[in-house]
Amino acid sequence: LTLTNVCTMASFDWSPLLLLIAASLLCEHADCYSGFSRRVALSHIGTAFISLPNNVAHAKEAPSSVSDISMLTDATDALSSLIENWERATVDCTYADVPRELLETKNKEKLLEKASDFALFDKSTSIVSCKRTNRVVRDYIGVTGKGPLVSLEKRLLKKSLVDQVEPDNLDEYFSAVEMFSQEMAKANSLSYTAGTADFDSVNNFAKGEANVNEGDSNLEQARRAIEEANRALKIASSLITAS
């Protein structure tokens, strides 16, 4: 037992604990089943809990704040990873097409021969093709109920986080949160529309083939919105001071 520990123990307010012990002994040696004895014991126990020091009474609030900050880090990491790996996340090359020349009338007999040999399983009779997909994007931005982006805006406005922002920075913080919300709503709408409206999402294309109109696609616009949302989220996160 060190001198520091002794000093710490001496400065600690033992009265709540002593009251709890006294109440416990009271229940052991008194008729706890009588209304009077129960009321006396419970009143002591209630007094003990009310008298707990503030740092003990609010001990359970800390983990929530810590988890919220950790969630912000996970969210920015997820969006950054999505942006950095955009091509891999949005191109699905699990399709196979029959070569067009094989479909020509003059090759009818050859096509029938291939079909009789289970052409669907013969790689020599097909070519790999791709489509743009919005599935991974929508998972990452949290609209399918997955990942750290789910209900993120609500968590950004939680009192436990807002209280950690310096008063002078509150306007900037709320502006960043609003920008994040707007860009994420835009990304949600555009990525959803991309699944049925973008040319490369409904038509197959050869692997490695670029679409000259890709810059105007809904999915590409969603990517730009996600970049802006991630930028705003990083600003908001930087304004939260570690407690």
Side-chain angles (χ1 to χ4, degrees):
L1 191 64
T2 65
L3 180 59
T4 301
N5 289 336
V6 172
C7 292
T8 302
M9 292 171 65
S11 62
F12 184 81
D13 184 5
W14 293 93
S15 56
L17 181 58
L18 292 175
L19 284 172
L20 286 173
I21 295 172
S24 176
L25 291 174
L26 182 63
C27 278
E28 287 184 13
H29 298 290
D31 180 12
C32 283
Y33 292 97
S34 69
F36 176 77
S37 297
R38 275 201 309 274
R39 285 196 298 272
V40 172
L42 291 174
S43 67
H44 282 297
I45 293 173
T47 302
F49 277 108
I50 293 173
S51 303
L52 284 175
N54 288 337
N55 62 328
V56 176
H58 298 287
K60 292 185 178 180
E61 295 182 5
S64 174
S65 177
V66 172
S67 68
D68 286 336
I69 294 175
S70 175
M71 168 273 304
L72 288 178
T73 301
D74 292 342
T76 54
D77 287 346
L79 292 180
S80 297
S81 177
L82 174 61
I83 294 167
E84 291 170 5
N85 299 281
W86 187 259
E87 283 298 308
R88 185 164 52 180
T90 60
V91 177
D92 180 8
C93 292
T94 59
Y95 299 90
D97 292 336
V98 177
R100 290 184 178 181
E101 59 271 15
L102 194 60
L103 297 175
E104 295 177 2
T105 304
K106 63 181 181 180
N107 292 322
K108 183 177 179 180
E109 291 184 4
K110 187 176 181 181
L111 176 61
L112 292 174
E113 178 186 350
K114 291 291 184 179
S116 65
D117 293 333
F118 304 98
L120 289 177
F121 301 95
D122 185 357
K123 293 182 179 179
S124 67
T125 64
S126 63
I127 57 174
V128 175
S129 64
C130 311
K131 282 185 179 181
R132 286 283 178 183
T133 175
N134 63 354
R135 179 175 51 82
V136 175
V137 173
R138 293 183 62 76
D139 282 345
Y140 264 77
I141 64 177
V143 295
T144 59
K146 301 177 182 178
L149 274 295
V150 176
S151 302
L152 183 58
E153 182 186 359
K154 293 180 180 178
R155 301 185 73 172
L156 285 167
L157 297 175
K158 284 178 64 175
K159 187 176 184 298
S160 59
L161 279 184
V162 176
D163 283 350
Q164 296 183 61
V165 179
E166 294 293 335
D168 292 342
N169 295 330
L170 283 174
D171 286 345
E172 185 179 1
Y173 178 79
F174 287 122
S175 294
V177 172
E178 183 179 4
M179 177 63 70
F180 168 79
S181 177
Q182 291 174 352
E183 294 299 327
M184 288 301 291
K186 190 186 300 182
N188 178 14
S189 176
L190 288 166
S191 64
Y192 178 83
T193 304
T196 56
D198 283 0
F199 183 84
D200 282 352
S201 294
V202 295
N203 294 280
N204 293 29
F205 58 90
K207 188 175 182 179
E209 184 180 277
N211 181 1
V212 294
N213 297 317
E214 185 179 342
D216 297 327
S217 70
N218 290 286
L219 200 57
E220 175 58 21
Q221 292 179 63
R223 184 189 67 79
R224 294 197 289 266
I226 291 170
E227 284 185 332
E228 291 301 319
N230 196 31
R231 186 175 295 110
L233 183 57
K234 288 179 178 179
I235 292 173
S237 300
S238 69
L239 297 173
I240 299 173
T241 57
S243 57

